Amino acid sequence: MTTDPTTPRPRTARWLLRLHRPALYGFTGLVIVLAALQLALAGPWADAAARGWRQFDACTGTGMCGYDQNAILRYKDYYDYATYALDALPFLVAAWAGAALTGRELESGTARLAWTQGISPARWLTVRLAVPAALVTAGTSLLFWLHHRAWAAGRGRIDTLKTWYDLPTFHANGPTTVALALAALAAGTLAGLLLHRTLPALVLGTAVTGGVVWAAQRLMPHLWPAVTRVTTLKQGGVGTGILVEQGLVTRSGAHLPLPRCSSEAACDAALAKASGYYSAYHPYSHYWPLQLTTSALLLVVAGVLVLACYLELRRQTGALRGAGEATACGAKGILVGA
């Protein structure tokens, strides 16, 4: 179908925002609520919890001792709520992208109608990827910065604060949340393009996002060189951080895996061959290198998924174009024969 070049092109971005206003309002509301919660966690709630822990630590263990337990529990509980909500955000993005952004429009025929109104399929897909990506990037960037600020406000002051290498905290504290959300957007969009069904695309997009999260967590410790620490058998233990590998060190310096002892005598025999333990781990100084390398890997995954979206759309629209041309030729043949 040809269009008049003088005809104004439809403002697809504005139309997309109007079409998905409920999702836009919901995402904006979620960002506002989580931002307000994390501002409270970084400010008065962190101060109150820290004061409660100082009171608790000042207790001598004799007699009655009063401390603000409610402030301690409030910080702990709401910190967990904010962390899990931020970690769940990529799954929500994937579910929405699969169900509403592409799946529903292809299922109802709205997408094909748009392609006959002067909007090319490539432009249709570009707008559906670019506009949500910009909004998701802005919202999740603000939220991970506020989460890291709330975590830093309690570091060294609140005894129940999660460690930096706790996986939910690690992802909520850094740009991996943004990269995961973008990969989830691409995964959901691809699911909708593949299935043309709302509910199946929702399930597939969410499942692919879960697989990406699992793979990222598995690969993350290996994306940056670990620090190796050697200790004596009496010292034992490892450094504080993300453990990559641990085992025994022989007197010659060779590394052996930790023994799986069936009895105390078997353990003693295995330890008799060793002079100490070795531990390969990531200390806190590796926090940002791990965040950035993991984010880069996830952005590559997102890019691959976006490319797959365009290839799938090209395949489908090419098939539709071929079917349309065949129908037109058949109709012409009937008229000529008549």
Side-chain angles (χ1 to χ4, degrees):
M1 178 179 178
T2 59
T3 57
D4 185 354
T6 62
T7 303
R9 301 182 76 182
R11 297 182 177 180
T12 51
R14 179 180 297 180
W15 182 80
L16 177 68
L17 292 174
R18 292 190 63 180
L19 180 64
H20 295 282
R21 274 184 298 183
L24 177 62
Y25 294 156
F27 180 72
T28 302
L30 179 63
V31 170
I32 291 173
V33 169
L34 286 178
L37 176 60
Q38 292 177 142
L39 285 171
L41 286 169
W45 289 358
D47 294 338
R51 187 164 52 250
W53 276 110
R54 286 198 301 271
Q55 295 168 352
F56 179 82
D57 293 337
C59 294
T60 59
T62 58
M64 298 296 294
C65 183
Y67 64 97
D68 194 348
Q69 184 182 29
N70 290 333
I72 293 173
L73 295 177
R74 179 179 59 198
Y75 183 90
K76 179 180 180 298
D77 291 342
Y78 282 101
Y79 175 89
D80 288 342
Y81 298 154
T83 301
Y84 295 137
L86 196 49
D87 287 339
L89 195 56
F91 294 94
L92 296 177
V93 171
W96 170 77
L101 187 63
T102 53
R104 185 175 63 190
E105 291 197 28
L106 289 167
E107 183 179 15
S108 63
T110 306
R112 291 182 177 83
L113 178 63
W115 299 341
T116 65
Q117 303 299 315
I119 303 174
S120 67
R123 185 175 177 223
W124 174 86
L125 179 59
T126 299
V127 171
R128 269 150 188 75
L129 287 170
V131 174
L135 295 174
V136 166
T137 299
T140 51
S141 296
L142 172 65
L143 291 178
F144 94 70
W145 177 74
L146 290 174
H147 190 280
H148 191 276
R149 186 170 174 264
W151 176 83
R155 188 182 178 207
R157 304 169 64 201
I158 299 174
D159 293 359
T160 52
L161 184 69
K162 296 295 178 67
T163 60
W164 70 271
Y165 51 87
D166 172 71
L167 280 178
T169 291
F170 178 87
H171 290 297
N173 259 0
T176 55
T177 296
V178 182
L180 278 171
L182 292 176
L185 174 64
T189 302
L190 180 59
L193 289 170
L194 288 170
L195 300 179
H196 291 206
R197 299 285 300 278
T198 300
L199 186 58
L202 182 154
V203 174
L204 179 60
T206 306
V208 172
T209 300
V212 171
V213 172
W214 177 85
Q217 291 178 354
R218 289 285 183 175
L219 293 174
M220 180 262 294
H222 306 284
L223 297 177
W224 194 258
V227 172
T228 300
R229 177 190 179 195
V230 178
T231 59
T232 65
L233 291 175
K234 290 184 178 181
Q235 288 176 317
V238 299
T240 301
I242 299 175
L243 182 63
V244 179
E245 186 181 3
Q246 186 181 19
L248 297 174
V249 179
T250 65
R251 292 176 177 81
S252 63
H255 289 180
L256 298 175
L258 288 175
R260 295 183 178 180
C261 306
S262 57
S263 64
E264 185 175 350
C267 276
D268 292 340
L271 293 175
K273 302 176 183 178
S275 61
Y277 295 99
Y278 77 92
S279 303
Y281 72 103
H282 293 286
Y284 180 64
S285 60
H286 289 190
Y287 171 76
W288 280 111
L290 289 173
Q291 279 280 353
L292 295 177
T293 51
T294 306
S295 298
L297 175 63
L298 289 168
L299 289 177
V300 170
V301 172
V304 171
L305 291 171
V306 167
L307 177 61
C309 288
Y310 280 99
L311 292 176
E312 175 61 20
L313 181 66
R314 181 180 178 182
R315 185 189 68 81
Q316 294 182 16
T317 54
L320 288 173
R321 189 180 301 112
E325 291 174 354
T327 301
C329 290
K332 183 178 180 181
I334 292 173
L335 292 174
V336 170

